[in-house]
């Protein structure tokens, strides 16, 4: 085999399909988010507005978070120095896990290097803990959940997205005595739709199944203390394992699960993805804990309300222009394009002509033919920035002669 030729073929295929991804070199500047500096390939710089970031509430710039990180950095230095089992557990990790457990009303929590690893490691390890476990997974679950379910090398069933009747049919076809787990999300980030949490919990109780929810795009954003959609809907106590991230609304880095003390202890003791990974630096753990504390309180609700308001304003104005918006009532604003080449072209034009940064979302993140631009307004996007975005979209949509027929939610 000519290895370089094989690599050329693989990369060219992405170019031909319009799916080749490029990194945009941007520099966030403290106190100025969502504004940033884009370093062009030719070395020049341009001020831009970030419209696709996952720092949903601007907590990566919050003074309380930065203060906690400075304090931990001065106290401990840069890294953790080891895995959690070998010198890598500090008071900062313990405080963070206590904050997470309190946030979700669970006995315990366990911090991972990312929510991806938390999903992969936990779901695959559950098969070791419950021999013969059948995992029922929503068809649109995140890649990390799919990988965890697959890697466990046990029986799995895929139910149609948010279709509880189909889930019931699949469960009814299996051995009633077999251990079961239903894995789903509270918000599916590409369309911004919500999972049917109560209906799934009702079914799980009926058949004796465990419940596993991914709240990655919801923590910090929903509920009176920012614990997620399950908290908002009064269902959090019915979920056995909650997975979420510290890198989106909390604005820092890392992932976690929250569950019973016994469940957390078992995952901690068996999951290779936890055991053999260097723990988060104390400075990161300190910042994440501070962010959770802030978002539990009045400031958090103020930020959540402002974010939801800005999302509603943006959706309303884009809909008024006939943009094909996918609107399920969440904070995510997807605009359907339906062609990977056009999607990339619009993204490039927004950046180069208007200083608006939004990444194209193409296959395999979304199915072919559903390519989109996904906007994530925050509380710190000013009205003038929303106005600039809307005018830019109107101009480019007309320039590119794209369809203005609105999609149904």
């Amino acid at each position: 085999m000519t290895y370089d030729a094989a690599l050329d073929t693989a990369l060219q295929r992405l170019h031909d399909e319009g799916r080749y991804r490029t990194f945009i070199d941007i520099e966030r500047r403290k106190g100025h988010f969502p504004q940033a500096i884009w370093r062009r390939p030719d070395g020049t710089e341009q001020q831009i507005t970030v419209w696709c970031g996952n720092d949903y509430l601007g907590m990566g710039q919050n003074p309380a978070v930065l203060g906690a990180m400075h304090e931990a950095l001065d106290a401990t230095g840069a890294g953790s120095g080891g895995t959690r089992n070998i010198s890598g557990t500090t008071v900062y990790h313990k405080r963070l896990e206590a904050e997470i457990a309190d946030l979700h009303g669970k006995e315990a929590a366990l911090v991972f290097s990312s929510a991806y690893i938390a999903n992969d490691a936990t779901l695959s390890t559950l098969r070791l803990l419950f021999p013969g476990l059948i995992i029922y997974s929503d068809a649109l679950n995140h890649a990390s959940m799919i990988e965890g379910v697959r890697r466990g090398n046990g029986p799995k069933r895929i139910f149609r997205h948010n279709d509880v009747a189909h889930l019931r049919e699949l469960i009814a076809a299996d051995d009633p005595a077999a251990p079961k787990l239903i894995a789903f999300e509270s918000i599916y980030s590409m369309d911004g739709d919500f999972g049917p949490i109560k209906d799934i919990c009702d079914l799980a109780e009926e058949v004796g199944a465990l419940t596993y929810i991914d709240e990655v795009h919801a923590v910090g954003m929903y509920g009176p203390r920012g614990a997620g959609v399950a908290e908002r809907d009064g269902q959090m106590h019915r979920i056995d394992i909650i997975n979420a991230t510290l890198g989106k609304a909390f604005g820092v880095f890392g992932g976690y699960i929250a569950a019973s003390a016994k469940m957390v202890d078992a995952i901690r003791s068996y999951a290779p993805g936890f055991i053999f990974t260097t723990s988060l630096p104390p400075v990161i753990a300190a910042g994440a804990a501070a962010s959770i504390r802030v978002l539990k309180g009045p400031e958090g609700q103020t930020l959540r309300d402002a974010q939801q308001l800005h999302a509603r304003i943006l959706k309303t104005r884009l809909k008024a222009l006939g943009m094909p918006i996918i609107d399920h009532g969440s904070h995510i604003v997807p605009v359907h394009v339906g062609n990977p080449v056009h999607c990339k072209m619009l993204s490039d034009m927004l950046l180069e002509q208007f200083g608006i940064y939004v990444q194209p979302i193409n296959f395999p993140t979304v199915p072919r033919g559903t390519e989109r631009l996904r906007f994530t307004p925050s509380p710190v996007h000013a009205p003038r920035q929303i106005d600039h975005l809307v005018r830019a979209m109107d101009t480019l949509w007309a320039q590119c002669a794209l369809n203005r027929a609105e999609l149904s939610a």
Side-chain angles (χ1 to χ4, degrees), residues 243-261:
N243 164 276
T245 183
L246 301 166
K248 290 184 170 61
F250 292 129
V252 190
F253 180 79
Y256 63 84
I257 60 166
S260 69

Side-chain angles (χ1 to χ4, degrees), residues 318 323 335 350 373 375 389-398:
L318 291 176
M323 294 288 163
V335 179
L350 284 167
L373 300 174
F375 298 95
L389 169 61
V390 171
R391 292 176 184 275
M393 288 289 286
D394 188 29
T395 298
L396 292 182
W397 224 257

Side-chain angles (χ1 to χ4, degrees), residues 27-40:
E27 179 183 341
R28 287 161 51 110
R29 294 189 172 176
K30 186 176 71 173
H32 295 281
F33 182 78
Q35 291 183 315
I37 299 299
W38 171 38
R39 291 192 176 86
R40 295 170 175 268

Side-chain angles (χ1 to χ4, degrees), residues 91-390:
V91 65
Y92 298 98
H93 298 88
K94 303 300 288 184
R95 287 174 184 167
L96 174 57
E97 288 171 343
E99 287 286 355
I100 294 168
D102 175 76
L103 174 69
H104 292 291
K106 299 299 183 187
E107 293 177 341
L110 192 64
V111 173
F112 292 77
S113 55
S114 72
Y116 187 107
I117 298 300
N119 268 333
D120 185 2
T122 302
L123 286 166
S124 59
T125 299
L126 287 171
R127 294 197 186 278
L128 300 176
L129 303 174
F130 305 107
L133 178 71
I134 304 172
I135 298 181
Y136 302 85
S137 180
D138 187 285
L140 294 189
N141 276 344
H142 189 265
S144 59
M145 301 176 77
I146 294 170
E147 185 62 25
V149 171
R150 179 190 298 131
R151 200 163 56 80
N153 196 31
K156 64 179 184 293
R157 314 283 184 257
I158 309 302
F159 61 93
R160 291 187 292 269
H161 177 53
N162 278 351
D163 190 336
V164 179
H166 185 222
L167 172 61
R168 178 181 289 276
E169 291 175 11
L170 293 175
I171 292 175
D174 285 320
D175 180 358
K180 301 174 177 66
L181 179 139
I182 304 170
F184 63 109
E185 300 185 38
S186 63
I187 295 180
Y188 292 84
S189 63
M190 290 301 110
D191 285 347
D193 57 328
F194 296 92
I197 300 175
K198 181 180 184 302
D199 291 343
I200 287 178
C201 287
D202 289 345
L203 177 56
E205 288 182 4
E206 181 183 329
V207 301
L210 295 170
T211 48
Y212 184 106
I213 193 170
D214 179 310
E215 290 257 33
V216 159
H217 288 273
V219 287
M221 305 296 292
Y222 298 86
R225 297 203 308 158
V229 179
E231 182 192 31
R232 183 199 70 178
D233 294 352
Q235 303 297 309
M236 193 162 58
H237 64 289
R238 305 178 72 191
I239 303 293
D240 292 294
I241 304 174
I242 296 171
N243 164 276
T245 183
L246 301 166
K248 290 184 170 61
F250 292 129
V252 190
F253 180 79
Y256 63 84
I257 60 166
S260 69
K262 191 174 295 185
M263 181 71 77
V264 167
D265 192 23
I267 297 299
R268 166 189 88 77
S269 301
Y270 280 89
F274 176 82
I275 295 170
F276 298 105
T277 299
T278 299
S279 66
L280 290 183
V283 63
I284 298 295
S291 183
I292 293 172
R293 285 194 295 272
V294 169
L295 292 183
K296 285 177 182 177
E299 182 180 343
Q301 193 57 51
T302 298
L303 290 170
R304 285 188 284 276
D305 290 343
Q307 196 282 331
Q308 290 288 338
L309 174 62
H310 287 177
R312 287 195 299 273
I313 290 171
L314 180 58
K315 288 178 184 178
T316 300
R317 293 196 60 185
L318 291 176
K319 284 181 180 179
L321 296 174
M323 294 288 163
I325 299 292
I326 304 169
D327 185 5
H328 293 281
S330 71
H331 61 285
I332 294 168
V333 185
V335 179
H336 185 269
V337 178
N339 178 288
V341 175
H342 293 165
C343 200
K344 178 67 166 64
M345 185 184 305
L346 281 168
S347 172
D348 290 344
M349 294 167 76
L350 284 167
L351 183 64
E352 293 165 2
Q353 297 179 26
F354 297 94
I356 291 169
Y357 174 43
V358 57
Q359 276 289 93
I361 307 295
N362 294 331
F363 179 84
T365 307
V366 295
R368 297 179 192 274
T370 68
E371 293 81 6
R372 70 208 52 191
L373 300 174
R374 188 186 67 156
F375 298 95
T376 53
S378 75
V380 292
H381 280 94
R384 61 178 174 77
Q385 292 169 326
I386 296 175
D387 187 64
H388 180 60
L389 169 61
V390 171

